[in-house]
Amino acid sequence: MKKIFSYAMLLMAGAFAFTSCSDDNDSNPTIAQPTEFVLNTPADANGNVDLANSTAVTLTWSQPTPYTDFNAPVVPTYTVQLSTAGTFNQQFDANLEDNTGADYIALDETYASGNDAKVNTEALNKALLQLTGWDDTTIPASTTLYVRVKAAILDASFREYNPIYSNIVTMKIIPYYTELKPADPELWYLIGGDIGDGAWGDVVGVSQLPLQSINGFEYDKKTGQGEITWTGYLAGNGFKLKKVPTSWDEQWGQGDAFGSYKKNDGGSSDIKVPEAGIYTVTLNTATDELKVEKYDGTPDVYSGMAISGSFNDWSDTDMAPLHTYSGAENHDWVITYSLKAGDEIKVKQAGSWDFNKGGAFVNYADGMYVYGEGNGANLVIEEDGTYMILFNDITGFIRFIKQ
């Protein structure tokens, strides 16, 4: 579901930068911290809301006092929170294996303007199943739902400042059971002198590359945690792993020597292989184990890869090598391309069909991936869009990331 964020970055930067130096005066804008706002009782609260047979619940609230004065308001971002216990002490976190004690959950969709929200009942029901663990035998015929709204300012990294909470309102709902879609495998990204252009930049497909899920591996259905991997050439220039392309808050680096690795240690060294060659990097996000091992084999080195399909009359549209730093041996390829629903596509060696990969799409939240099969079936695009297509010619893994 699409998220709507309120940035107001320039205003925030100015508001937080003011100091108490001697030349300050009363005309300087300052952060005004509101303390409360009112969530109105929904019109639907008077009867049972049948979540299976409705599309949305409308919530309205009074907007908080502006967060700044002197006509420089910062618009807060609103998040809807739900509880079946009536308490809001510990938030459910889908990234945690153990949510024992969690008594409320926040919906994914956020709101950045106005004073109302049409809360999708399918998303609401899914969140309640995550929070409560109800199955087809334990789900109640009806229940009381407790709702509140949080208002907060978000900075450029989506960190929250000055959160405040509304009052709590109640409503009667009729939930329904549906099998929850398993979480996508948790992603981490490679970055460094051995990756992409070697510039340590923030852009995926230029300076960073996501690791790949493993065919047949059983990932945790709630968290998506498990083993992810990448195989390619490492020259010894150094690299690290990041969970979020634009943040170093969660990272993996090298400890005292190669083979020793540290998580979330800002002082850790770059991971440098002892000799240049093909390596497999494997990260288990459930057990926090990282391995960097020499690859057993000598993969072919290709001068070019292309996408081919019904959209270009099965000719070649060239992909670009991803690893372009000096001395790189490239085995990852990238292209950003617009495709239509119904388009058929394969990835192939430029100028030849001797090496080509197809197969079947598996859907991610932000696109699709394919465990590529040699001479496999044509891939059929399900939805119009512009996609970043990543391909590894050693593993055959193909990733479509919707832009």
Side-chain angles (χ1 to χ4, degrees):
M1 184 176 292
K2 185 177 180 181
K3 292 186 177 181
I4 308 173
F5 293 100
S6 172
Y7 295 92
M9 298 309 170
L10 294 176
L11 291 173
M12 281 189 61
F16 282 110
F18 300 124
T19 66
S20 58
C21 58
S22 59
D23 60 353
D24 280 352
N25 56 60
D26 291 340
S27 65
N28 282 339
T30 58
I31 284 288
Q33 172 65 58
T35 58
E36 62 182 4
F37 66 108
V38 177
L39 174 62
N40 301 315
T41 300
D44 305 305
N46 295 326
N48 280 327
V49 179
D50 187 347
L51 299 183
N53 294 299
S54 57
T55 58
V57 173
T58 300
L59 299 178
T60 62
W61 56 83
S62 64
Q63 290 184 333
T65 302
Y67 278 81
T68 61
D69 57 9
F70 291 96
N71 297 316
V74 175
V75 179
T77 291
Y78 299 99
T79 306
V80 177
Q81 299 178 338
L82 312 171
S83 173
T84 57
T87 53
F88 290 82
N89 297 319
Q90 180 178 327
Q91 182 173 332
F92 178 92
D93 185 347
N95 293 316
L96 297 178
E97 291 186 44
D98 185 3
N99 272 284
T100 301
D103 58 353
Y104 76 97
I105 189 169
L107 295 182
D108 288 337
E109 187 167 6
T110 59
Y111 307 88
S113 61
N115 62 344
D116 64 347
K118 290 189 179 299
V119 179
N120 179 276
T121 50
E122 181 180 356
L124 189 156
N125 190 78
K126 178 183 175 182
L128 290 181
L129 293 180
Q130 287 180 296
L131 173 64
T132 62
W134 290 331
D135 60 26
D136 56 345
T137 63
T138 60
I139 192 166
S142 65
T143 191
T144 299
L145 180 65
Y146 300 84
V147 184
R148 74 176 184 182
V149 176
K150 177 176 72 173
I153 300 171
L154 300 183
D155 69 6
S157 299
F158 306 124
R159 289 186 294 258
E160 293 183 349
Y161 292 91
N162 299 19
I164 61 172
Y165 301 89
S166 75
N167 56 300
I168 298 170
V169 301
T170 62
M171 56 192 301
K172 290 286 188 179
I173 61 165
I174 301 173
Y176 63 96
Y177 177 73
T178 183
E179 191 73 30
L180 291 176
K181 181 182 180 293
D184 292 342
E186 182 179 310
L187 280 182
W188 283 71
Y189 296 81
L190 296 166
I191 182 173
D194 282 340
I195 306 300
D197 60 4
W200 295 87
D202 286 343
V203 181
V204 175
V206 176
S207 298
Q208 295 189 46
L209 177 67
L211 277 76
Q212 308 164 6
S213 56
I214 298 173
N215 193 12
F217 191 94
E218 292 190 12
Y219 293 89
D220 186 283
K221 291 183 179 181
K222 291 184 178 181
T223 66
Q225 292 180 332
E227 285 191 358
I228 50 178
T229 188
W230 169 82
T231 298
Y233 183 79
L234 297 173
N237 298 313
F239 71 95
K240 284 190 171 185
L241 284 76
K242 299 172 70 176
K243 187 174 182 181
V244 178
T246 56
S247 172
W248 284 101
D249 288 349
E250 295 186 77
Q251 60 171 287
W252 280 92
Q254 185 167 290
D256 295 334
F258 178 74
S260 170
Y261 308 109
K262 293 183 176 181
K263 182 181 180 183
N264 298 339
D265 182 343
S268 64
S269 302
D270 302 342
I271 301 171
K272 293 187 177 182
V273 296
E275 61 177 338
I278 304 295
Y279 288 82
T280 295
V281 178
T282 304
L283 174 63
N284 190 316
T285 57
T287 60
D288 276 343
E289 294 177 279
L290 176 63
K291 295 185 292 185
V292 182
E293 301 172 309
K294 200 73 180 289
Y295 178 75
D296 184 15
T298 305
D300 293 331
V301 178
Y302 296 95
S303 60
M305 286 287 160
I307 56 173
S308 181
S310 59
F311 58 90
N312 65 359
D313 295 325
W314 297 98
S315 61
D316 284 3
T317 299
D318 289 336
M319 305 181 78
L322 189 141
H323 305 290
T324 57
Y325 63 87
S326 178
E329 178 182 302
N330 182 71
H331 292 280
D332 290 283
W333 305 83
V334 61
I335 187 173
T336 298
Y337 202 83
S338 294
L339 295 163
K340 298 289 187 181
D343 283 348
E344 298 184 19
I345 184 171
K346 276 192 168 184
V347 178
K348 62 183 288 291
Q349 180 182 357
S352 172
W353 282 96
D354 290 345
F355 178 89
N356 70 87
K357 296 291 182 178
F361 279 127
V362 179
N363 289 325
Y364 265 157
D366 64 350
M368 305 87 72
Y369 63 89
V370 185
Y371 299 115
E373 303 171 7
N375 298 309
N378 298 340
L379 301 168
V380 181
I381 301 301
E382 298 178 1
E383 184 178 354
D384 291 2
T386 299
Y387 297 88
M388 176 186 291
I389 305 171
L390 298 167
F391 173 63
N392 183 290
D393 63 40
I394 300 176
T395 64
F397 188 88
I398 311 169
R399 182 78 192 272
F400 284 66
I401 302 175
K402 197 164 188 181
Q403 303 299 288

